[in-house]
Amino acid sequence: MATSVAEAGTARPVRTRFANVLFWRLVSIALVLGAWEIAGRIPVSFAFPPFSATFAAFVGIILDGTLPAAYLTTLQPLATGLVVSAVFGVMFGVLMGLSRTAEWALAPVFIVMQAAPMAALIPLVTFVYGIGLTAKVLAVCLLAAPVIVLNTYKAVRTVSPSLLDMCRSFLGTPLQQVTKVILPAAGPVIFAGLRLGVAAGFIGIVLAELLITPTGIGDIITYSSSIADYPTMYATIASLIVFAGVTVSILQQVETRFVRPEKRA
Amino acid sequence: MTQRLARPPRLTLAATTDAPNIVEVRRISKSYGNQIEALRDVSLAFPRGRLTTLLGPSGCGKTTLLKIIAGLIPADAGDVYVNGRVVTGPGPERAFVFQDFALLPWANVLRNVAFGLELRGMAKDEREALAAKYIRDVGLAGFEKRYPHELSGGMKQRVGLARALAVNADVILMDEPFSAVDEQTRRKFQEDLLQLLAVERKTVIFVTHSIEEAAYLSDQIVLLTRRPGTVAKVLEPRIDRSHGPEAVRRDPAYLDAVEEIWAMLKQYLA
Ligand SMILES: Nc1ncnc2c1ncn2[C@@H]1O[C@H](COP(=O)(O)OP(=O)(O)OP(=O)(O)O)[C@@H](O)[C@H]1O
Ligand SMILES: [Mg+2]
């Protein structure tokens, strides 16, 4: 029909546009890396290695297994914390969206948590929960949960009242109202909250590993900086940034693929 | 909606059923907070198998009255009776068509039309077969797999109408169903609606802002006063619809009704 004609007409331009985007993206990456290389060679600071040295250090810690092992260590509390935050965060968020009482009791807590500099609480976590896995999981949750809860809560609250009236007038039960209208309607915003939560969780785990006990990635960063092995330190930090970026953009792909925001008005 | 059907003479229809008024509104009052009194002591009867329009100045409480009849909001005083029973909430004998369509954006036309049946727990095959029939009836055959954002306003409202017809309610409540639709689409839709209703034998309560629409569609026209809404007048234009839509718009009874409504509503304009 009309749309298939339009698609056939735009297929080629779309592909060339994609190639264009890719080209300029590569150009911008090359510019940044080039600037890094030059700044490192001047040098701007003795603690700032050029890109080439950093990259060499990166290959080195991958080949000797340090970096993969560190990631395995780091990912454990990160994944645990994120799963816990996602499950309970969405649950609390939906509850707050549905019930005035739950909103009254919980919303201020999470709003304060989101606004407060949670990093400052991490030493307190150590004080209460020690330096083990629990403390690190908790650090991830502290940073990830508020944004997940608040996004879910807002998403549930902003579901179109006319859709709710519609569900009620066609004899939907309160449970059906939640499962067939509220959750699907709130889905995209909840998912966006989860994506932000994952990004916050990364901050949480790095802070935990730097402030509680140096393990995993935090250990490499702390150790290499203490022995002035700056290329390794920068390589680790850069790998973390790339890893977080890739994770979040994969989530974004999943979101557009499965939550289908394009099917919405 | 392929064949042209003249509307049956409704007087005989009403006489064959036990209670002539399928919906009765008795002394309804409703305020929002302390400030806004929306409806005051409204009593109305809606004859079975007829189309009644509610017409009145903006903000006079038309939507409020319709939602009270639907059981979506409670009245402060008074009762609504459907088939002789007091309304305490939404019921299977009433279906609503929404001004903003209220379609699920993530569901295709077929699922949207079948949604009322889905909520009642009807099996998927059965409800989709029924929905497909009503999609054809409202003239949307071939659009079953489309999503709401791919449809025009007029088509969306046809989906809303099909959804209301699919649950087989006796009473269909429509809140300005054509207000978001352009004039040509609106006229076509009005004609289609009349034909469809002639086949389906529904009682319709219809809110509109349009005098022509009210006169064109209605067996009974309820004029409401400015807020707080009270019943100003009930008209029953006896329009002969057997010669098609063009003839209706030239019918003296139609023109008289338009004139009378305008004379009445004019006084509310500043
Ligand atoms: N939920 C609400 N809270 C407070 N006031 C409301 C609410 N709903 C409606 N009102 C007010 O009550 C009055 C009647 O509203 P209603 O929507 O029933 O009017 P209406 O006749 O449908 O108007 P319109 O022709 O503009 O659709 C209006 O003054 C409106 O502002
Ligand atoms: Mg209204």
Side-chain angles (χ1 to χ4, degrees):
Chain A
M1 313 230 351
T3 50
S4 61
V5 173
E7 269 159 26
T10 52
R12 275 179 70 111
V14 164
R15 201 162 304 144
T16 37
R17 205 179 327 135
F18 179 74
N20 248 338
V21 166
L22 195 68
F23 173 75
W24 285 111
R25 217 169 260 176
L26 289 176
V27 166
S28 98
I29 290 173
L31 279 176
V32 169
L33 294 183
W36 181 357
E37 184 68 31
I38 293 166
R41 275 171 196 263
I42 291 176
V44 173
S45 149
F46 75 96
F48 189 72
F51 171 67
S52 51
T54 307
F55 190 74
F58 176 69
V59 173
I61 49 178
I62 283 193
L63 290 182
D64 73 3
T66 327
L67 196 65
Y71 266 96
L72 278 182
T73 316
T74 299
L75 283 180
Q76 199 189 339
L78 177 62
T80 317
L82 286 178
V83 168
V84 170
S85 305
V87 171
F88 286 95
V90 170
M91 237 165 62
F92 278 131
V94 169
L95 209 68
M96 281 160 56
L98 293 178
S99 134
R100 291 275 164 193
T101 321
E103 177 191 18
W104 186 82
L106 295 171
V109 177
F110 288 105
I111 289 169
V112 167
M113 273 176 83
Q114 199 187 24
M118 293 311 286
L121 279 188
I122 288 178
L124 199 69
V125 169
T126 326
F127 186 64
V128 179
Y129 293 94
I131 54 171
L133 190 65
T134 321
K136 283 177 186 151
V137 169
L138 207 65
V140 172
C141 291
L142 277 179
L143 275 112
V147 64
I148 296 177
V149 172
L150 292 176
N151 259 58
T152 307
Y153 154 69
K154 268 181 249 156
V156 169
R157 261 301 143 79
T158 50
V159 171
S160 146
S162 115
L163 281 188
L164 296 177
D165 270 354
M166 187 277 289
C167 185
R168 226 150 50 84
S169 78
F170 285 100
L171 306 179
T173 61
L175 181 65
Q176 285 177 320
Q177 188 151 320
V178 173
T179 56
K180 290 186 187 285
V181 175
I182 293 176
L183 287 182
V189 179
I190 293 179
F191 205 92
L194 286 175
R195 189 153 45 78
L196 294 173
V198 168
F202 269 97
I203 301 175
I205 192 61
V206 171
L207 284 173
E209 287 190 332
L210 292 176
L211 296 176
I212 299 177
T213 36
T215 49
I217 302 295
D219 185 30
I220 305 187
I221 296 174
T222 321
Y223 179 71
S224 54
S225 109
S226 72
I227 60 164
D229 179 3
Y230 295 114
T232 304
M233 181 180 117
Y234 275 88
T236 313
I237 293 172
S239 80
L240 197 61
I241 293 170
V242 171
F243 184 75
V246 167
T247 309
V248 169
S249 70
I250 286 175
L251 283 176
Q252 205 150 19
Q253 294 291 322
V254 171
E255 186 177 341
T256 38
R257 174 67 59 91
F258 293 104
V259 191
R260 296 198 290 194
E262 81 279 8
K263 291 266 191 275
R264 287 151 194 280
Chain B
M1 288 198 287
T2 44
Q3 77 229 91
R4 291 221 145 212
L5 282 160
R7 226 158 172 211
R10 298 214 167 161
L11 283 169
T12 56
L13 196 81
T16 56
T17 51
D18 34 357
N21 296 324
I22 186 165
V23 178
E24 274 186 49
V25 169
R26 293 195 198 144
R27 311 206 60 178
I28 288 281
S29 296
K30 174 76 185 176
S31 300
Y32 293 103
N34 299 325
Q35 302 298 314
I36 303 165
E37 188 181 8
L39 296 169
R40 181 189 289 173
D41 202 12
V42 172
S43 297
L44 284 168
F46 298 88
R48 190 181 295 274
R50 308 293 186 80
L51 193 152
T52 302
T53 46
L54 302 177
L55 195 63
S58 195
C60 73
K62 303 181 291 293
T63 300
T64 304
L65 180 57
L66 206 63
K67 285 193 170 171
I68 289 173
I69 296 173
L72 287 171
I73 52 177
D76 296 340
D79 287 306
V80 175
Y81 295 83
V82 176
N83 283 322
R85 269 197 298 275
V86 174
V87 161
T88 53
E93 68 298 319
R94 282 159 289 147
F96 210 104
V97 176
F98 292 83
Q99 179 171 9
D100 63 355
F101 320 126
L103 303 180
L104 305 174
W106 57 87
N108 61 23
V109 168
L110 188 62
R111 178 154 183 232
N112 265 299
V113 172
F115 192 65
L117 302 169
E118 179 180 338
L119 291 175
R120 276 161 219 204
M122 186 185 277
K124 193 166 198 254
D125 293 347
E126 199 181 339
R127 68 174 189 250
E128 290 194 340
L130 256 175
K133 172 199 177 311
Y134 285 101
I135 291 171
R136 281 195 303 279
D137 283 357
V138 298
L140 281 181
F143 289 89
E144 290 83 354
K145 297 281 176 246
R146 294 306 184 93
Y147 284 82
H149 74 102
E150 301 173 292
L151 307 178
S152 69
M155 290 159 88
K156 283 183 201 167
Q157 199 51 292
R158 284 169 192 269
V159 175
L161 179 62
R163 177 176 60 195
L165 292 173
V167 294
N168 197 25
D170 298 326
V171 182
I172 298 197
L173 308 164
M174 304 176 92
D175 189 6
E176 298 191 40
F178 306 146
S179 64
V181 165
D182 67 78
E183 183 61 28
Q184 288 92 332
T185 316
R186 186 177 178 125
R187 285 208 172 192
K188 176 81 175 83
F189 204 151
Q190 289 167 358
E191 291 173 16
D192 289 351
L193 180 68
L194 285 182
Q195 285 173 29
L196 201 61
L197 293 176
V199 184
E200 293 278 338
R201 310 267 160 120
K202 301 291 184 193
T203 304
V204 178
I205 306 178
F206 191 106
V207 169
T208 181
H209 264 128
S210 159
I211 297 174
E212 279 77 18
E213 184 164 88
Y216 179 70
L217 292 174
S218 314
D219 300 306
Q220 175 175 274
I221 301 170
V222 175
L223 295 173
L224 297 170
T225 62
R226 200 152 45 183
R227 206 180 78 206
T230 54
V231 178
K233 201 169 207 177
V234 179
L235 307 178
E236 293 187 29
R238 309 215 169 248
I239 297 168
D240 178 12
R241 296 176 208 277
S242 54
H243 303 295
E246 289 73 25
V248 168
R249 292 186 207 276
R250 286 193 302 270
D251 187 325
Y254 166 82
L255 297 170
D256 286 350
V258 170
E259 203 50 45
E260 198 171 350
I261 299 166
W262 173 233
M264 168 76 214
L265 290 181
K266 193 154 60 172
Q267 61 184 302
Y268 296 121
L269 298 175

